[in-house]
Amino acid sequence: MTFKNTYGFAEELDNQDDLKGFRDEFYFPQHQGENKIYFTGNSLGLMPKRAKEALQQELDDWAKLGVDGHFDAKNPWFSYHELFKTSLAEVVGAKPLEVTPMGGLTSNLHFLMVSFYQPKGKRVKLLCEGKAFPSDQYALETQVKFHGLDPSETIVELHPREGEVGIRKEDILRKIEELGDELALVMIGGVNYYTGQVFPMEEITKAGHEVGAVVGFDLAHAAGNVKLELHKWGVDFAAWCSYKYLNSGPGSVAGIFVHERHSESAELKRFAGWWGTPSDGRFQMTKGFIPAPGSDAWQLSNAPVLSMAVHKVALDLHLEAGVDNLIEKQKKLTSYLEFVLKDLSDRLPSVKLTVITPKERGSQLSILTEGSGKDLFNKMTDLGVVADWREPNVIRVAPVPMYNSFMDVFNFGQIIEKSLEELK
Ligand SMILES: *Cc1c(COP(=O)(O)O)cnc(C)c1O
């Protein structure tokens, strides 16, 4: 498709967009009485309007029923997490048995690594992406130390080649092969938070398994953003948060995936809790942990119903829009943004905006700025854009197919032009 950086063209794209109605399902922060250009759904997704009512339902049941809400609430809290099985499964390409909403992302990564990072003999190494999200770096570092190993000798980082931004697929696969029987675990982000690169998860999984390693992914920037087929790809485990592309609210309940092949695995170590036992025997409080089937066995605590109430409506919206429809729109929306940025760079000699996100990408584009990039960012912010700045000189923007429009992208370009004008 040939794009045009004009108001009429953006309007036309919006008219053709089957998902345009979903924009009205969300609250937008305001700037001078109008919706801000909200391009930080990769950091905190917008609030679905339905969240209020969903939350109110649980608050009302709590007020009315107290402890009896566990069984008598409209959506009984005892089994609340079971409401998510099919929608989560669809979002990450899994079987319902393989997914569970629980806890927080980083804590889930720890619990999963307790089970799936089992260094033994010479097989101790852990492969991850360089410049991983800091929380993941700390989790990996402390897991390694927990086993009495030295992080500097045990953690192997993947880096782009000199002068490149993305990490090449062949370099990842070669490194896995090279580590061979020393490799215990591959633990990479599905989408890198800084560059926006989507990693070849299927091929990484295959390569990891070929050398006998376990393969897990942090899907914080992938869930709700790119096509995932965790079951089919044979991924061992994965974890994600729900407040980025899944729009479930700040710090809302996270989610995990454990492949069904590990479902009945008796020798797996784990740090267990009562919600990980089969639901029928849970209140008998018997001695000795018996794991529930599937990923539920990793649950520890009873369901955080208030945050799950929001998660539920947010996932419903995702399914109503359709996972594949969202991805199709995402490709068009992000391509249009790339086009608008290129048009600006071509027309305005004063601006150097380089998209550093490789072509394997989801919604997000990371824009390398030169010179006074921070001034431009601050000016854009004053004019109603919500994007984010990553030191030393990158602006991250993610138009989200669920609620962003092509007009948002056009207006974003206009605001950049205006900002540059005002900064002269
Ligand atoms: C957002 C994000 C986190 C945040 O972790 P929390 O435990 O939810 O605070 C961790 N890792 C990655 C890769 C992220 O993008």
Side-chain angles (χ1 to χ4, degrees):
M1 168 175 266
T2 38
F3 291 124
K4 288 187 211 143
N5 186 11
T6 63
Y7 183 94
F9 189 79
E11 193 175 40
E12 184 54 32
L13 288 178
D14 279 337
N15 286 340
Q16 292 165 6
D17 172 16
D18 292 337
L19 302 181
K20 58 178 174 289
F22 285 93
R23 185 175 172 88
D24 283 339
E25 294 275 355
F26 292 84
Y27 289 108
F28 279 75
Q30 299 292 297
H31 173 75
Q32 297 178 346
E34 298 204 27
N35 290 347
K36 284 192 177 183
I37 314 273
Y38 194 83
F39 280 172
T40 42
N42 55 342
S43 186
L44 183 73
L46 288 180
M47 176 183 163
K49 292 179 181 168
R50 299 179 191 182
K52 272 188 183 168
E53 198 185 325
L55 200 47
Q56 194 63 49
Q57 173 72 46
E58 304 314 324
L59 290 171
D60 288 347
D61 280 346
W62 180 21
K64 205 164 65 203
L65 300 167
V67 71
D68 290 334
H70 280 301
F71 295 99
D72 299 340
K74 178 162 176 249
N75 313 302
W77 305 330
F78 178 75
S79 52
Y80 206 89
H81 61 280
E82 290 168 16
L83 297 173
F84 298 85
K85 292 272 170 192
T86 41
S87 40
L88 272 182
E90 192 156 331
V91 168
V92 300
K95 293 188 174 183
L97 172 89
E98 296 173 318
V99 290
T100 300
M102 62 177 267
L105 170 54
T106 309
S107 37
N108 289 345
L109 284 176
H110 275 298
F111 290 122
L112 289 164
M113 280 194 278
V114 161
S115 299
F116 294 108
Y117 177 56
Q118 292 297 325
K120 209 183 204 168
K122 68 190 273 208
R123 196 183 283 285
V124 298
K125 298 236 161 108
L126 203 161
L127 182 66
C128 67
E129 81 221 87
K131 269 193 152 197
F133 193 87
S135 198
D136 299 46
Q137 291 183 34
Y138 306 149
L140 298 179
E141 175 194 331
T142 52
Q143 282 281 330
V144 165
K145 285 185 177 163
F146 177 72
H147 288 282
L149 297 164
D150 176 355
S152 67
E153 288 170 8
T154 311
I155 299 178
V156 180
E157 292 185 353
L158 293 157
H159 289 281
R161 294 187 190 184
E162 189 71 31
E164 297 183 6
V165 180
I167 305 173
R168 290 197 197 182
K169 180 169 82 183
E170 65 257 37
D171 291 353
I172 303 176
L173 302 183
R174 184 165 346 98
K175 183 56 87 179
I176 291 174
E177 207 184 311
E178 199 179 292
L179 290 168
D181 60 4
E182 290 179 20
L183 185 60
L185 174 65
V186 182
M187 203 1 256
I188 309 192
V191 178
N192 181 266
Y193 82 100
Y194 184 76
T195 63
Q197 178 178 15
V198 178
F199 290 110
M201 289 173 261
E202 181 172 17
E203 281 148 303
I204 290 173
T205 305
K206 189 160 165 273
H209 287 168
E210 263 163 24
V211 301
V214 176
V215 181
F217 292 101
D218 181 332
L219 302 178
H221 279 260
N225 178 26
V226 298
K227 181 80 179 160
L228 296 169
E229 303 235 42
L230 299 181
H231 176 80
K232 199 173 111 204
W233 298 338
V235 171
D236 291 290
F237 71 91
W240 55 89
C241 54
S242 67
Y243 50 80
K244 293 177 178 167
Y245 293 98
L246 294 176
N247 310 318
S248 302
S252 189
V253 67
I256 66 161
F257 164 90
V258 177
H259 198 279
E260 72 175 346
R261 84 172 79 89
H262 301 296
S263 176
E264 307 290 335
S265 188
E267 74 271 21
L268 274 181
K269 293 183 180 168
R270 62 178 110 229
F271 288 166
W274 69 325
W275 238 249
T277 61
S279 58
D280 46 5
R282 199 173 290 147
F283 282 146
Q284 284 156 26
M285 312 277 191
T286 47
K287 213 172 163 65
F289 176 78
I290 298 168
S295 55
D296 279 355
W298 276 264
Q299 284 185 116
L300 284 94
S301 298
N302 68 95
V305 167
L306 298 183
S307 80
M308 280 187 176
V310 180
H311 193 30
K312 169 108 182 27
V313 290
L315 285 175
D316 287 348
L317 282 164
H318 231 81
L319 295 205
E320 280 169 37
V323 173
D324 290 337
N325 298 336
L326 285 164
I327 288 168
E328 198 186 311
K329 177 174 170 189
Q330 173 255 300
K331 292 194 171 133
K332 204 162 156 186
L333 200 55
T334 301
S335 298
Y336 189 47
L337 174 61
E338 185 180 39
F339 173 84
V340 167
L341 289 168
K342 170 129 195 341
D343 180 59
L344 290 178
S345 296
D346 289 350
R347 279 191 298 110
L348 309 170
S350 65
V351 57
K352 185 109 178 57
L353 300 172
T354 317
V355 171
I356 58 168
T357 303
K359 64 183 190 307
E360 304 84 13
R361 69 185 184 206
S363 290
Q364 176 183 327
L365 293 182
S366 300
I367 308 165
L368 183 69
T369 62
E370 275 177 19
S372 57
K374 191 67 193 274
D375 293 340
L376 171 64
F377 177 79
N378 290 339
K379 183 55 87 180
M380 275 163 36
T381 306
D382 289 345
L383 295 174
V385 169
V386 190
D388 89 5
W389 176 258
R390 290 284 137 149
E391 296 294 342
N393 51 5
V394 164
I395 298 174
R396 297 187 313 166
V397 280
V400 172
M402 179 69 91
Y403 49 71
N404 282 123
S405 62
F406 293 90
M407 194 58 81
D408 280 340
V409 173
F410 173 74
N411 286 332
F412 176 68
Q414 296 292 297
I415 289 180
I416 292 183
E417 278 200 47
K418 189 161 175 219
S419 302
L420 291 168
E421 195 56 42
E422 289 188 15
L423 285 170
K424 261 188 196 156

